[in-house]
Amino acid sequence: IAFLDFDPSPAGNRWHVTVVRPNRSDRRRVGEATAERTLAWSADDTRLLWENEPYRLMLGQADGRGRPRLLARGSTADW
């Protein structure tokens, strides 16, 4: 399960890209999002795509390993 966990901050709102097993164990933060409208799974369920300001599409491993990388500039992901 993947979701955006809202974190209000005086410096600006953030959403933690978070994954967790269906039994609620092994919760991991995969990255940071600055827009709540984009979170998508890859077709093979191994990666997540989210938006980070300014309109950067980030790609991260769904298991939380490694660092997310910049995939492209733009918004509104569509696999």
Side-chain angles (χ1 to χ4, degrees):
I1 299 170
F3 59 95
L4 296 173
D5 191 13
F6 183 63
D7 181 18
S9 167
N13 294 335
R14 292 252 181 240
W15 289 263
H16 302 295
V17 180
T18 306
V19 294
V20 65
R21 294 185 189 277
N23 67 2
R24 298 187 215 172
S25 69
D26 202 23
R27 183 177 174 143
R28 295 179 187 208
R29 187 179 300 170
V30 177
E32 297 289 327
T34 53
E36 77 281 4
R37 64 186 168 268
T38 304
L39 180 61
W41 284 94
S42 63
D44 65 2
D45 292 334
T46 62
R47 295 168 291 165
L48 289 167
L49 184 75
W50 66 89
E51 186 176 339
N52 193 335
E53 296 288 351
Y55 305 108
R56 297 179 303 182
L57 295 177
M58 304 299 292
L59 184 68
Q61 297 291 87
D63 62 8
R65 293 187 216 179
R67 293 186 55 165
R69 67 180 180 94
L70 176 64
L71 182 64
R73 296 192 185 277
S75 63
T76 313
D78 185 9
W79 290 95

